[in-house]
């Protein structure tokens, strides 16, 4: 990432701070989020030492870094003792564990580098969970009925614009059979640090201006589209860039 960060610094005439957060599995979840949050807060408090205006700090990340960026922005949204973030930049972020059969997951399940099953395997390894539950997650058996009703307001293929459904999408017709055992095992996935899409409305409403980048050939495309809608529903200004030829990791 050094070249990317140097490029950002040069092209935007900005001070760029890259957080070398500790990695899983040696450092289990949520160490990564805690490292990012700690570094961000420290920088906000000492910004002037680096010649930075504390009111112009932007957090940014791609892929799982986009997840961490969204989670950090949410954690800071309700803080009164720190400057308000100027903006957040989410580059093809992973944002939810509710529906792995959204149009983008179906259409791009075999597109390198982020294959559909690899996405789930990486998520489970990150949480140090057994990979034998992948099938149950794909089927949606991990969500109790009450949570399903709650999350439907935010994670719903009906909210994906029609033009993204034309490429071989089949809506699900069967109701998944809930497994309490699987739910108990993967419960940390529903935490908003892991799935920022599942944060409460009161948090979403306080988020800063946002830039979201999505790629057409990416299983995570619809996470970005759904988060865009959620933010806009709460009056947050969103700039959206969609790479029609893009795939995950393209930046």
């Amino acid at each position: 990432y050094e070249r990317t960060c140097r490029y950002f610094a040069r092209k935007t005439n900005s001070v760029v701070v890259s957080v070398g957060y500790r990695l899983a599995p040696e450092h289990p979840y949520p160490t990564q989020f805690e490292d990012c949050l700690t570094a961000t807060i420290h920088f906000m408090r000492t910004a002037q030492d680096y010649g930075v205006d504390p009111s112009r700090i932007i957090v940014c990340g791609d892929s799982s870094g986009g997840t961490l960026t969204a989670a950090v922005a949410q954690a800071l949204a309700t803080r009164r003792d720190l400057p308000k973030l100027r903006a957040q930049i989410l580059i093809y972020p992973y944002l939810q564990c509710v529906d792995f059969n959204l149009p983008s997951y179906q259409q791009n399940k075999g597109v390198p580098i982020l294959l559909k099953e690899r996405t789930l395997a990486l998520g489970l390894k990150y949480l140090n969970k057994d990979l034998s539950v992948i099938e149950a997650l794909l089927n949606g058996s991990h969500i109790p009925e009450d949570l399903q009703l709650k999350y439907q307001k935010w994670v719903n293929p009906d909210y994906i614009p029609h033009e993204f459904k034309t490429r071989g999408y089949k809506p699900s017709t069967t109701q998944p059979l809930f497994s309490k055992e699987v739910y108990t095992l993967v419960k940390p996935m529903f935490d908003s640090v892991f799935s920022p899409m599942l944060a409460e409305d009161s948090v979403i409403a306080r988020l800063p201006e946002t830039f979201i980048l999505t790629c057409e050939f990416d299983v995570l495309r619809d996470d970005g589209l759904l988060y865009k809608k959620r933010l806009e529903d709460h009056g947050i200004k969103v700039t959206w860039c969609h790479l029609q030829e893009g795939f995950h990791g393209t930046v």
Side-chain angles (χ1 to χ4, degrees):
Y1 276 84
E2 187 183 353
R3 280 183 65 188
T4 309
C5 292
R6 283 176 180 271
Y7 179 83
F8 278 155
R10 197 168 63 243
K11 289 287 187 185
T12 64
N13 193 25
S14 308
V15 171
V16 174
V17 179
S18 177
V19 184
Y21 58 85
R22 290 168 290 174
L23 302 177
E26 293 81 3
H27 301 280
Y29 165 89
T31 308
Q32 297 68 28
F33 163 72
E34 287 160 1
D35 283 357
C36 290
L37 185 61
T38 304
T40 307
I41 291 171
H42 174 72
F43 184 70
M44 290 179 124
R45 288 191 172 138
T46 57
Q48 277 151 336
D49 299 352
Y50 302 93
V52 170
D53 177 348
S55 69
R56 299 184 66 180
I57 295 171
I58 296 171
V59 286
C60 167
D62 73 318
S63 196
S64 56
T67 316
L68 292 166
T69 300
V72 165
Q74 290 179 2
L76 296 173
T78 50
R79 294 279 293 250
R80 300 223 184 276
D81 59 328
L82 293 164
K84 206 169 157 36
L85 280 175
R86 175 63 187 87
Q88 61 173 341
I89 295 174
L90 309 176
I91 300 171
Y92 36 69
Y94 168 94
L95 297 168
Q96 60 85 30
C97 67
V98 173
D99 191 345
F100 296 110
N101 280 302
L102 290 169
S104 62
Y105 267 106
Q106 288 191 22
Q107 294 160 341
N108 305 312
K109 63 178 185 281
V111 178
I113 53 174
L114 197 62
L115 311 174
K116 177 170 168 170
E117 294 212 359
R118 180 178 287 170
T119 310
L120 274 72
L122 289 172
L124 289 165
K125 282 184 172 174
Y126 182 33
L127 294 174
N128 209 6
K129 302 294 180 190
D130 197 272
L131 299 189
S132 61
V133 296
I134 285 183
E135 204 54 49
L137 293 180
L138 289 173
N139 297 336
S141 308
H142 59 304
I143 311 170
E145 204 174 333
D146 56 331
L147 285 184
Q148 211 148 23
L149 290 170
K150 178 184 178 177
Y151 296 151
Q152 246 165 16
K153 303 191 302 254
W154 308 328
V155 183
N156 195 320
D158 294 351
Y159 300 149
I160 305 290
H162 176 71
E163 65 264 29
F164 293 103
K165 295 178 176 171
T166 52
R167 194 163 50 87
Y169 164 62
K170 290 188 173 60
S172 175
T173 47
T174 55
Q175 194 61 29
L177 206 59
F178 172 60
S179 160
K180 190 162 188 224
E181 189 187 353
V182 173
Y183 170 64
T184 309
L185 182 79
V186 303
K187 207 171 175 183
M189 280 190 160
F190 296 99
D191 184 53
S192 60
V193 166
F194 189 92
S195 295
M197 183 86 74
L198 309 184
E200 295 299 331
D201 287 340
S202 57
V203 174
I204 298 287
R206 302 180 75 151
L207 288 171
E209 187 178 336
T210 302
F211 175 95
I212 296 175
L213 181 133
T214 54
C215 291
E216 178 60 33
F217 300 101
D218 180 6
V219 288
L220 301 182
R221 180 195 70 202
D222 295 349
D223 283 27
L225 295 177
L226 291 171
Y227 205 50
K228 171 182 179 283
K229 180 187 187 306
R230 240 198 121 186
L231 292 168
E232 287 174 341
D233 286 351
H234 285 276
I236 311 294
K237 186 179 175 206
V238 179
T239 303
W240 171 51
C241 171
H242 182 66
L243 302 184
Q244 200 57 56
E245 305 289 317
F247 52 89
H248 195 83
T250 217
V251 164

